[in-house]
Amino acid sequence: MATDRDLVSEDDLALINALQIAPRARWTDLAEVLDTHPTSLAARWDRLRASGMAWVTGHLVGDPQDMSLCFLEVDCDIQRRASVSDELGRIPQVVTVEHSASDRTLLLTITTQSFQDLSEVVIERIAALPGVIDYRSAVCTRLHQGGYAWRLGVLNAAHRAQVQQLAHSAGASARLPDSHLALLPLLAANGRVTAAEMARTLHRTPATVQRQLSKVISSNVLSFRCEIAQRYSGFPVSCQWYVRVPADAHSKAAQALAAMPQVRLAASTTGEANFVIVMWLRSVAEVMDVEVALAQQIPEIELLRNTLILRATKRVGWLLNPDTTGKGPAEHTLSVTDFAR
């Protein structure tokens, strides 16, 4: 587990920023952009990944027109919050679990294949957990921005453009043969795993796995993303706003938020607060600055309430240590996660 002395260097941040743009780019290609040796990049990444500072994972892509994305606030017995959080982390559809600074509340991001699964299976299971007192739900009606698009902003514009050319272009989703499905959990655990490494694990020939891996990547069944331990990102504070925006101003609000680099999530939702915003900030003092900027950029916005996040125990299917470094993927079946924060 990393300590406060193990801060990432500028070179580390540049590498992570590059992998946010092109998660599976080859070291030889990235080395030309970052002006270093491929072996040095590989060694640096191995160190970052081993320490839990950063990781690349592959998530199942779901059709946003078919799936259900929900933000759930769960009130629980304060004495049992830790155990409730652990139990929630074991539910595959609960992809993110965060501890709010607001008393007993846990903030969940839930993805399901249908609204019926959300209401009849997942919420029923959550409500039945010992220690859960109450919950409030906000179902996403439109996701404007997600954590998969958040960037550190370390690379300059020229380098970003060069790395973008190395990124895989997503195409139409295609159904995979059953023989290819065994690759998916390995890519969830390590989004940069090589065909040779998977071949050893699966007891298949490297040529066979390389062919299957190419099919998996081109099928657009998985979306790859690079994450960083928040404490070491330069943006250690997370804040969530519940706001109200007139229905005809949601697109305008989304455009304004897209220009704010702190934004991790912007979504239209059901409920009195019909818009949810999540940002990673440099300090708590920045909360007021953000609220002033929101009022200036989106005059129609009504800020109903905000809450700081004390810690996250699970983020997009990945279990976290108390210092925000990654433990590894939760040990349950892959669920659709690419639309969560």
Side-chain angles (χ1 to χ4, degrees), residues 93-109:
Q93 297 90 343
V94 177
V95 297
T96 296
V97 180
E98 296 172 312
H99 293 224
S100 166
S102 302
D103 197 1
R104 308 163 300 189
T105 306
L106 297 171
L107 305 178
L108 313 181
T109 302

Side-chain angles (χ1 to χ4, degrees), residues 26-214:
R26 295 182 301 180
W27 296 131
T28 51
D29 294 331
L30 287 175
E32 293 184 14
V33 179
L34 300 177
D35 192 25
T36 188
H37 195 278
T39 302
S40 298
L41 281 185
R44 183 177 301 146
W45 177 249
D46 286 343
R47 173 179 57 80
L48 289 169
R49 185 170 177 272
S51 66
M53 285 284 193
W55 56 96
V56 171
T57 181
H59 301 291
L60 289 176
V61 176
D63 187 341
Q65 301 302 316
D66 297 333
M67 64 175 289
S68 176
L69 173 62
C70 177
F71 308 108
L72 200 72
E73 296 177 85
V74 175
D75 290 339
C76 58
D77 182 341
I78 191 65
Q79 300 299 324
R80 306 185 73 162
R81 185 159 74 163
S83 62
V84 171
S85 178
D86 289 343
E87 288 299 321
L88 291 169
R90 296 187 178 98
I91 301 175
Q93 297 90 343
V94 177
V95 297
T96 296
V97 180
E98 296 172 312
H99 293 224
S100 166
S102 302
D103 197 1
R104 308 163 300 189
T105 306
L106 297 171
L107 305 178
L108 313 181
T109 302
I110 301 172
T111 58
T112 56
Q113 293 289 358
S114 69
F115 180 75
Q116 287 70 32
D117 287 342
L118 171 67
S119 60
E120 298 173 8
V121 179
V122 181
I123 290 183
E124 287 296 318
R125 180 174 174 181
I126 292 172
L129 289 177
V132 170
I133 298 171
D134 197 5
Y135 66 85
R136 294 170 296 283
S137 63
V139 177
C140 178
T141 55
R142 184 167 299 174
L143 183 66
H144 304 288
Q145 190 170 332
Y148 52 83
W150 183 82
R151 302 289 184 259
L152 278 169
V154 175
L155 298 177
N156 61 37
H159 286 166
R160 290 198 301 271
Q162 288 178 277
V163 177
Q164 187 62 54
Q165 294 180 352
L166 306 176
H168 167 69
S169 298
S173 296
R175 183 176 178 83
L176 290 174
D178 290 346
S179 59
H180 294 45
L181 300 181
L183 277 63
L184 303 190
L186 301 181
L187 288 163
N190 177 8
R192 290 188 57 84
V193 65
T194 66
E197 291 168 334
M198 287 192 285
R200 290 191 291 270
T201 301
L202 299 174
H203 305 291
R204 300 176 184 177
T205 67
T208 297
V209 175
Q210 182 61 64
R211 192 165 55 249
Q212 294 171 341
L213 177 60
S214 297

